[in-house]
Amino acid sequence: MKKTGDKLPRLIVLSAPSGGGKTTLCQMLLNEFPNIHLSISATTRKIRPQEKEGVHYQFLTEAAFKAMRDKGEFAEWAQVHNNLYGTLKKTVETALAQGKNVLFDIDVQGAMSLKKLYPRHALLVFVHPPSMEELEKRLRARKGDTPDAIETRLQNAYDELEWSKRFDHQITNDNLERAYQELREIILKECP
């Protein structure tokens, strides 16, 4: 495993309730920091109109996902909003061996799994929405989710907010630029 100075490569995990803004913040980090590489998760969720296979996710059938899970191929996996999501171990371990910082846009269950499996490398950042009302507004404005899926995501948000207490850092995305500056400061301090 490569080391830069006295810092180990990091697994930077951003988690938030759906609609909390973590994907936007991830993209901002990737645009500014060329030494951070995005982990592409696998999912059984249906592809949304703006998404591309292998860019946003690896879209798998439920049977294929479960077969890989049963073989122990995932570093983390979880059932979220009635779909399966996971990160392949080989992706994580290859990046760490190359000394790369890897960015994860995953749920709280996945964050806890990565922290348990890679405790020295995991850096957990939870992104809070400004309020539950604003979160609901954001979810309803998105395209591609059914009304039932939106309700499930809102219900799950309350549980996710409880998990946030276990994260290394917490930021509130009530102003995108300010939230990004907070995230940027964390990255500059914690990552090689």
Side-chain angles (χ1 to χ4, degrees):
M1 173 184 338
K2 291 186 180 179
K3 219 174 158 180
T4 304
D6 60 347
K7 294 181 183 177
L8 292 168
R10 300 306 296 260
L11 304 177
I12 306 158
V13 179
L14 262 65
S15 293
S18 287
K22 69 184 178 302
T23 303
T24 300
L25 289 167
C26 283
Q27 193 55 55
M28 293 170 81
L29 276 179
L30 293 169
N31 289 343
E32 181 174 354
F33 293 94
N35 64 325
I36 296 176
H37 305 273
L38 182 64
S39 172
I40 306 298
S41 297
T43 185
T44 59
R45 174 174 69 65
K46 296 215 182 300
I47 191 167
R48 292 180 182 145
Q50 72 278 13
E51 293 176 327
K52 292 183 179 147
E53 167 67 33
V55 174
H56 296 99
Y57 286 98
Q58 294 173 358
F59 293 94
L60 302 174
T61 65
E62 190 169 331
F65 189 103
K66 287 180 176 178
M68 293 169 79
R69 177 198 64 194
D70 293 346
K71 290 180 191 171
E73 294 182 30
F74 289 104
E76 61 83 22
W77 72 272
Q79 183 168 344
V80 182
H81 314 306
N82 302 316
N83 294 295
L84 298 169
Y85 292 83
T87 303
L88 292 167
K89 281 182 185 175
K90 69 179 179 183
T91 302
V92 175
E93 291 167 4
T94 298
L96 290 176
Q98 294 172 350
K100 294 179 179 178
N101 293 311
V102 184
L103 179 61
F104 295 83
D105 175 351
I106 59 176
D107 75 295
V108 294
Q109 296 172 68
M112 292 300 121
S113 295
L114 285 177
K115 183 80 165 180
K116 184 176 180 180
L117 199 55
Y118 305 102
R120 293 178 43 220
H121 297 279
L123 172 63
L124 308 185
V125 181
F126 192 87
V127 181
H128 289 270
S131 67
M132 291 305 286
E133 293 78 21
E134 177 61 25
L135 183 66
E136 182 173 356
K137 181 178 164 187
R138 290 177 185 178
L139 287 173
R140 294 201 185 282
R142 285 198 326 199
K143 305 292 183 226
D145 285 330
T146 66
D148 285 345
I150 291 169
E151 288 306 316
T152 299
R153 290 174 188 274
L154 286 170
Q155 290 171 10
N156 290 343
Y158 288 101
D159 290 336
E160 293 167 329
L161 293 174
E162 280 301 309
W163 281 94
S164 72
K165 298 171 186 170
R166 298 181 180 186
F167 280 62
D168 302 312
H169 300 276
Q170 297 184 39
I171 60 176
T172 299
N173 187 11
D174 53 357
N175 174 288
L176 184 60
E177 287 305 317
R178 187 201 49 72
Y180 179 68
Q181 286 308 313
E182 279 187 47
L183 177 58
R184 185 178 186 277
E185 289 172 21
I186 292 166
I187 298 305
L188 290 171
K189 179 182 175 192
E190 301 269 1
C191 297

